[in-house]
Amino acid sequence: MTDAVGCPPPWDRIELIEGDITQFGGDAIVNAANSSLLGGGGVDGAIHRAAGPRLVAECRTLGGCPCGEARITAAYDLPSKYVIHTVGPVYRDGHSGEPESLDACHTRSLELAVENDIRTLAIPAISCGVYGYPLAEAARIALGTTADFLRRCNEIDRVVFVLFDVRTHATFEAVRDELVQTG
Ligand code: ADP
């Protein structure tokens, strides 16, 4: 299994860790939100709880966010500076626009990061919880899209995928190793 440090560019800027994204101390964390942006379960609930009530107050001013797009807010009581809220697709059959939407979530989040001078950000396994995306398929899109973006962009120093459990972390690592091998 490869480690980010030993990986060729751009993989040397992509880290995979098992943990709780609310503890990330870099510039921004990405939230797997729902289209209301008013909070929910899973990682969204954890982020809102840790950020405090000012986060939902700012989110209320945004008027929601469609699937595949992203919005940015302050991070309030979280250790990071910003939260980038993106809305992943609900998985149906893999042929109903889900791959394109999941790709767009990552691309739009990374674009918003660059626009806001964010150099380090954490991303969870978007759509891999309640939204039911098969893990390996989601990991291929999340990692492939992020690597493609970083190949074209030197303004981001580090993207950390913060995976909540052993299985998700192991799947992302296996997919990352495959993608590193195939270039
Ligand atoms: P979605 O609705 O996009 O599927 P979920 O929040 O249900 O979003 O799940 C997305 C992923 O986030 C899942 O892998 C879930 O285990 C994970 N997750 C839940 N809480 C946290 C957390 N505090 N930090 C990082 N990941 C988390």
Side-chain angles (χ1 to χ4, degrees):
M1 221 174 267
T2 48
D3 173 354
V5 177
C7 285
W11 297 99
D12 54 350
R13 287 185 280 152
I14 299 175
E15 239 175 85
L16 310 179
I17 64 166
E18 191 187 326
D20 176 353
I21 202 166
T22 63
Q23 293 175 3
F24 182 73
D27 295 333
I29 62 174
V30 174
N31 181 17
N34 59 53
S35 56
S36 76
L37 296 186
L38 299 179
V43 70
D44 193 12
I47 288 172
H48 276 273
R49 272 193 302 280
R54 289 176 297 166
L55 180 60
V56 78
E58 183 175 355
C59 285
R60 235 177 247 123
T61 68
L62 300 176
C65 176
C67 175
E69 292 191 21
R71 302 285 185 268
I72 189 163
T73 66
Y76 300 101
D77 297 341
L78 286 160
S80 57
K81 292 190 209 124
Y82 298 100
V83 179
I84 294 172
H85 307 261
T86 190
V87 181
V90 175
Y91 189 81
R92 286 180 56 196
D93 54 10
H95 301 286
S96 305
E98 304 97 317
E100 293 78 10
S101 296
L102 192 58
D103 182 317
C105 282
H106 291 83
T107 302
R108 283 300 301 138
S109 296
L110 291 161
E111 284 171 354
L112 267 182
V114 172
E115 285 163 25
N116 289 277
D117 297 321
I118 289 162
R119 300 201 70 100
T120 55
L121 79 159
I123 306 179
I126 299 165
S127 287
C128 294
V130 173
Y131 283 3
Y133 218 111
L135 267 186
E137 283 179 45
R140 205 158 284 126
I141 294 168
L143 293 167
T145 300
T146 300
D148 284 346
F149 191 93
L150 294 182
R151 270 187 201 104
R152 298 180 263 114
C153 168
N154 284 317
E155 286 138 303
I156 294 179
D157 296 328
R158 200 158 65 99
V159 176
V160 184
F161 282 87
V162 181
L163 295 329
F164 204 47
D165 55 70
V166 182
R167 187 172 145 251
T168 308
H169 182 245
T171 305
F172 270 66
E173 273 199 333
V175 169
R176 189 268 314 269
D177 290 352
E178 231 177 71
L179 293 175
V180 170
Q181 295 298 322
T182 56

